[in-house]
Amino acid sequence: MHRNSMESRNVSRRGFVKGIGAATGAALAAGGNSRLAMAGTFSASLPDLQAALNACTTDEDFWKTVRREFLLDPAIIYMNTGTEGAMAGLTVESLKSGYLAFAANPMGACYYNPTYSYEQKPNRTKVAAFLGADPEEVAFTMNTTHGLNLILNALPFQSGDEIITTLHDHAALPSPLDCLRDRRGIVPVRIALPTLVQSRQEIVYRFASALTPRTKALAFSHINYTNGLRMPVRELCDLARAYGLISIVDGAHTPGMIELNLHDIGCDFYCCSGHKWLNGPAGTGVLYIRNAPSNPWSVRPVMTELYDSLATRPITDLFQYSGQHNTPAYTAVAVAVDFVKTVGQAKIEQRVKDLNSYFKKKVVEQWGDAALLSTTLPEFASGMGTFNPFLNHYDMMKIISFSTRVRTEYNIITRFVGWLEKPGGPTRYGQRVSTHLFNEEKDVDSFLDAAAKAVASIGR
Ligand SMILES: Cc1ncc(COP(=O)(O)O)c(C=O)c1O
């Protein structure tokens, strides 16, 4: 039996499905759509899901079976996993079990049950293996932003130290760096990236060209949130190592989307989200610290209750022990990891990339090459692609109006993004479309249909 199964918490599945029904009722009362009937059709356990998947004879069948595991409102088409994932029924079930365990016996849960305890050993061990790391190299965080803030503030950067990032990074990275600039005098250096990258060397060269004797770290996204570009992360970590620099990676979009092996990548620090492509609960993330037991970087946490164990425990333990965390949510992340493993991470990666390249192909057919703001080269592919159907890509009001119309008039959820193509601007805008395991080609078709109508009414 699965460790986090409903049975082990003495909560009946029927009760849970009824609970979802009640939530649905509340959503309806609040103006939601009446087609939430699919909620509650998910498998009773992961072995059940595995059996259902094994019985599928076609790809179409397989992905339809996967789709049934999710509680997404059928009235919407959800294509913004890049901002927030959608929990599968089994993940919600685990979350609910955790809260019930706390409600029934608070100390039994947070103190005596290793699944929910402060140290989080079983969940850290499972998540670490999934990420290609050792258990003592990971700690749970609230999200990627939290992880990046924690580690950037914990490293012994000094006035004048330069840290290289890019103009395609999410605010989660430049924001704590700007704060460190004002507080400690560190110097964030933001380099431009070509919107349509042609080669890995082109990116590595841009970082290498920005190095100076004062450079202390390279900090960059594994997958850029702007246009879904998958960065040459291993080459960049090699570059950092060759020059004795620290590598810090914002991996918000990777777990659950692509196969990961942090040891292979060779980064020193990696921060990622449990609530995006892993489809875990909101408020979950992971901080990875290479070689945490020996802590070669003299990391000193800014938030811990275990500082007196600095010499005897891996530095990640000092991060993990920082008050009572939302451990039912971390437990649900471990279930989300099991869910991904049951479906198959490699299969999911292929699926999200296939759907996204279908999207990109259709964009070019519909609006021409100039509308596509993501490269189509397979080595840079991910589950996010960005386009701008308007002639002027620098008109913010048009893209906002487009994004809003597609969401409010057609119930299709995507998001607009913007980035500087060179320091000082101007900002180029586009609409980002995330394709995940619960999406299908007809979602892309519906989106592009809606997009065409929205563009027609706004004017190109
Ligand atoms: C690249 C990137 N980093 C960080 C974040 C912030 O993620 P979180 O909400 O987990 O802090 C995002 C969110 O969209 C992102 O796209």
Side-chain angles (χ1 to χ4, degrees):
M1 191 199 300
H2 188 262
R3 193 183 54 222
N4 295 306
S5 70
M6 188 64 85
E7 293 81 350
S8 67
R9 306 267 175 265
N10 217 4
V11 179
S12 84
R13 168 69 195 280
R14 235 165 114 226
F16 175 71
V17 172
K18 251 168 55 196
I20 290 282
T24 303
L28 290 178
N33 189 287
S34 61
R35 289 192 289 140
L36 261 175
M38 72 176 291
T41 61
F42 56 90
S43 303
S45 67
L46 285 164
D48 281 2
L49 170 61
Q50 185 70 73
L53 293 174
N54 289 346
C56 294
T57 50
T58 64
D59 253 19
E60 198 190 340
D61 225 16
F62 184 91
W63 293 112
K64 279 203 185 313
T65 304
V66 168
R67 160 88 196 187
R68 278 197 291 275
E69 296 298 313
F70 290 86
L71 308 177
L72 281 160
D73 182 347
I76 65 166
I77 294 178
Y78 192 68
M79 301 180 97
N80 191 17
T81 304
T83 296
E84 187 65 23
M87 280 187 282
L90 287 169
T91 309
V92 179
E93 195 169 304
S94 160
L95 199 53
K96 189 173 177 191
S97 299
Y99 289 133
L100 287 172
F102 269 74
N105 183 349
M107 279 305 283
C110 80
Y111 205 80
Y112 298 109
N113 183 339
T115 303
Y116 301 124
S117 72
Y118 272 47
E119 191 173 17
Q120 280 297 292
K121 207 160 195 164
N123 295 326
R124 284 163 78 190
T125 301
K126 177 168 286 176
V127 169
F130 178 68
L131 299 176
D134 297 336
E136 61 276 13
E137 290 178 317
V138 302
F140 282 110
T141 57
M142 290 190 297
N143 49 52
T144 298
T145 311
H146 187 210
L148 286 167
N149 273 269
L150 284 179
I151 200 60
L152 288 167
N153 281 284
L155 283 160
F157 293 125
Q158 291 173 6
S159 181
D161 288 350
E162 293 177 5
I163 300 177
I164 302 176
T165 64
T166 82
L167 292 173
H168 281 255
D169 290 314
H170 183 275
L173 188 47
S175 180
L177 288 177
D178 288 350
C179 185
L180 281 171
R181 174 198 62 206
D182 293 349
R183 189 138 41 83
R184 269 199 241 161
I186 71 118
V187 183
V189 177
R190 300 191 71 188
I191 60 169
L193 295 177
T195 294
L196 296 179
V197 169
Q198 299 295 328
S199 74
R200 300 160 90 76
Q201 290 74 15
E202 198 181 355
I203 300 177
V204 177
Y205 177 76
R206 295 220 179 188
F207 276 84
S209 306
L211 297 178
T212 76
R214 293 175 303 283
T215 309
K216 284 289 180 296
L218 306 186
F220 51 88
S221 304
H222 193 158
I223 293 178
N224 290 339
Y225 89 106
T226 48
N227 62 357
L229 179 88
R230 183 172 177 164
M231 295 275 277
V233 68
R234 193 172 304 159
E235 288 89 334
L236 290 171
C237 291
D238 286 349
L239 176 73
R241 197 167 316 107
Y243 285 88
L245 310 172
I246 293 169
S247 51
I248 303 163
V249 183
D250 172 343
H253 296 288
T254 55
M257 190 217 275
I258 61 172
E259 287 202 284
L260 271 180
N261 187 318
L262 297 182
H263 284 164
D264 270 7
I265 288 171
C267 56
D268 298 324
F269 304 96
Y270 198 94
C271 303
C272 54
S273 311
H275 66 99
K276 292 184 190 284
W277 297 82
L278 254 182
N279 295 307
T284 56
V286 176
L287 165 65
Y288 160 84
I289 301 181
R290 186 169 68 78
N291 226 340
S294 67
N295 187 16
W297 301 274
S298 304
V299 164
R300 296 286 181 272
V302 287
M303 186 176 163
T304 184
E305 56 181 292
L306 211 61
Y307 197 65
D308 58 358
S309 301
L310 180 66
T312 54
R313 297 182 79 138
I315 194 73
T316 42
D317 279 2
L318 276 66
F319 284 91
Q320 192 64 64
Y321 278 83
S322 52
Q324 180 63 53
H325 285 230
N326 188 359
T327 54
Y330 299 156
T331 304
V333 168
V335 171
V337 162
D338 281 335
F339 183 94
V340 167
K341 283 173 23 190
T342 304
V343 178
Q345 180 66 87
K347 268 203 175 97
I348 296 172
E349 175 171 346
Q350 197 53 51
R351 171 77 173 173
V352 305
K353 290 196 296 199
D354 286 350
L355 284 172
N356 221 269
S357 55
Y358 176 75
F359 157 72
K360 289 172 189 156
K361 182 174 83 113
K362 291 279 177 178
V363 163
V364 170
E365 279 170 23
Q366 201 161 324
W367 282 292
D369 286 330
L372 189 62
L373 301 177
S374 299
T375 169
T376 52
L377 295 174
E379 63 185 305
F380 299 111
S382 75
M384 293 188 293
T386 299
F387 79 118
N388 190 323
F390 298 104
L391 299 175
N392 178 0
H393 290 186
Y394 301 88
D395 186 336
M396 185 175 71
M397 292 323 291
K398 267 200 166 166
I399 202 78
I400 291 180
S401 158
F402 171 76
S403 189
T404 309
R405 266 173 195 266
V406 170
R407 177 172 54 82
T408 57
E409 293 175 17
Y410 302 95
N411 282 338
I412 303 176
I413 321 298
T414 55
R415 71 157 281 184
F416 79 91
V417 284
W419 62 92
L420 301 180
E421 288 186 307
K422 55 178 189 218
T427 303
R428 189 169 193 176
Y429 297 97
Q431 194 70 12
R432 188 188 74 189
V433 172
S434 302
T435 45
H436 205 1
L437 75 174
F438 44 72
N439 292 121
E440 37 195 345
E441 284 188 0
K442 74 177 165 59
D443 294 342
V444 172
D445 294 339
S446 302
F447 168 72
L448 291 172
D449 249 23
K453 290 179 187 136
V455 171
S457 64
I458 295 167
R460 217 171 160 205

